[in-house]
Amino acid sequence: MESIRSVSVLGCGLMGSGIAEVCLLAGLPTVVREVSDSRVDRGRGRIERSLEKAVSKGKITADERDEALGRLTMTVDLEPLATADLIIEAIVEHLEEKRKTFKAVEGVARKRAIYASNTSSLTLTQLAVASGRPERFVGLHFFNPVPVMRLVEVVRTLLTDPEVVDLCTDFTHKLGKEPIHCGDTSGFIVNRLLVPYLLDAIRALESGVGTVDDIDRGMQLGCGHPMGPFTLLDFVGLDTTYYIANIMFEEYRERRFAPPPLLKQMVQAGRLGRKSGHGFYEYPEA
Ligand code: CAA
Ligand code: NAD
């Protein structure tokens, strides 16, 4: 394989829809798989709305939007994945779900296809080995919102073929992203630093250090962060943050990765952040 010319994305939630969008805009035919027709409709809606926003802001033309959408195939089946050079998984942050999904994909994927996971916190070796093609397995960790954030962490395991890392590095450039490279440790580079910070903000709230608004404004106005920690937690999704914290705590056994009780209770209460209309803040438009 000389370069990556076609892509499949598994999952079309917050991240999968963004990853699909940047692939489409880079001119790559992209097949997106979701689990049900209603999820397909929701995912397509996310991509269409985001492209529409780009047109209204003058970032792309209406023709470019139409061409991008013309390269998109949405499906609930596995067979359409058979044409992809690169299959990027962006489903729920759950080891067994991801393992099961890669096993199923192995039944249809091209022999030379590369598998990538967008996992935030799972170590890749366990997924790579279960996939049946560990030498063609990498991490491609995109950041939210994908159309805006320039970074992609390109993660190799002990078993990854260096040629696959090179192909994926070129791919991130083709998407207009900046890659950084790292080895297979839970949370890679960014989440290893970011996740304890977000969890500490919740612990500070639990201890009565300040209100949600004061803590957010403190980090925005005092440190120049574009979003305070609670706005960012709502943005990432409290369910996803909870899964990430559990996985990182399990891996490192350090208190700084432990999910605070308030985070668990908010997830149990269905307060998942922007995606559910209510997290640390309320989002009546969701
Ligand atoms: N999709 C596409 N474009 C978007 C967007 C979205 N969801 N949200 C914002 N944008 C674009 C806007 O169109 C705008 O572009 P222009 O300036 O060209 O018009 C630009 O981003 C800035 O947007 P806004 O002016 O509306 O809003 P803002 O200035 O408040 O910026 C933000 C929004 C870029 C999201 C900014 O608040 C930010 O950088 N927040 C921090 C995000 C962050 O930390 N992400 C990492 C999360 S952690 C993670 O991803 C890893 C993990 O594993 C959990
Ligand atoms: P999300 O809940 O918004 O979307 C997940 C989607 O995957 C859902 O639409 C679900 O229907 C779908 N799905 C579940 N099982 C599937 C399967 N077998 N095949 C196809 N689709 C399936 O979650 P998200 O925030 O997009 O996170 C997805 C992945 O990206 C996770 O691994 C997460 O850790 C990682 N990630 C998230 C963020 C973030 O800020 N939310 C940032 C970077 C990485």
Side-chain angles (χ1 to χ4, degrees), residues 19 29 31 36 57 59-60 63 92 108 116 130 132 144 156 175 185 195 201-202 209 225 244 263 266:
I19 295 168
V31 175
S36 65
K57 293 207 160 196
K59 288 184 186 170
I60 58 170
D63 283 350
V92 63
V108 296
N144 180 19
R156 64 186 180 277
L175 301 186
T185 57
V195 171
I202 303 174
V209 171
H225 288 199
I244 293 172
L263 177 62
M266 290 187 71

Side-chain angles (χ1 to χ4, degrees), residues 134-260:
E135 68 292 347
R136 298 194 74 74
F137 198 107
V138 286
L140 284 178
H141 186 216
F142 290 81
F143 289 77
N144 180 19
V146 180
V148 182
M149 307 312 279
R150 291 184 59 210
L151 185 69
V152 181
E153 290 178 314
V154 179
V155 190
R156 64 186 180 277
T157 76
L158 293 175
L159 303 171
T160 312
D161 182 341
E163 185 214 353
V164 168
V165 174
D166 291 345
L167 283 164
C168 287
T169 301
D170 289 348
F171 168 73
T172 62
H173 286 134
K174 192 166 187 178
L175 301 186
K177 303 291 183 196
E178 283 288 335
I180 56 174
H181 293 90
C182 44
D184 186 23
T185 57
S186 178
F188 315 124
I189 294 173
V190 173
N191 280 344
R192 189 167 181 144
L193 300 175
L194 178 66
V195 171
Y197 157 73
L198 293 175
L199 300 177
D200 262 346
I202 303 174
R203 281 189 265 272
L205 180 70
E206 285 176 329
S207 320
V209 171
T211 63
V212 164
D213 184 54
D214 282 333
I215 295 171
D216 262 4
R217 289 201 305 135
M219 294 312 290
Q220 271 190 290
L221 303 178
C223 296
H225 288 199
M227 288 175 165
F230 294 105
T231 308
L232 185 53
L233 280 158
D234 277 358
F235 191 61
V236 166
L238 301 186
D239 49 349
T240 301
T241 307
Y242 180 60
Y243 303 144
I244 293 172
N246 275 308
I247 291 164
M248 293 186 80
F249 182 64
E250 171 95 353
E251 182 75 16
Y252 294 113
R253 305 280 169 171
E254 289 175 26
R255 187 179 176 272
R256 64 202 181 107
F257 297 110

Side-chain angles (χ1 to χ4, degrees), residues 11-52:
C12 198
L14 217 51
M15 295 304 290
S17 59
I19 295 168
E21 180 184 334
V22 294
C23 292
L24 293 165
L25 287 174
L28 297 162
T30 303
V31 175
V32 179
R33 184 193 180 234
E34 257 293 348
V35 286
S36 65
D37 290 336
S38 64
R39 295 279 173 144
V40 161
D41 291 345
R42 219 166 133 187
R44 182 189 285 279
R46 280 179 202 272
I47 297 172
E48 286 175 350
R49 277 193 303 280
S50 187
L51 286 170
E52 200 49 58

Side-chain angles (χ1 to χ4, degrees), residues 46-74:
R46 280 179 202 272
I47 297 172
E48 286 175 350
R49 277 193 303 280
S50 187
L51 286 170
E52 200 49 58
K53 199 166 143 193
V55 173
S56 67
K57 293 207 160 196
K59 288 184 186 170
I60 58 170
T61 64
D63 283 350
E64 284 167 334
R65 172 203 57 201
D66 295 344
E67 282 163 22
L69 287 172
R71 290 188 275 269
L72 173 64
T73 306
M74 302 265 326

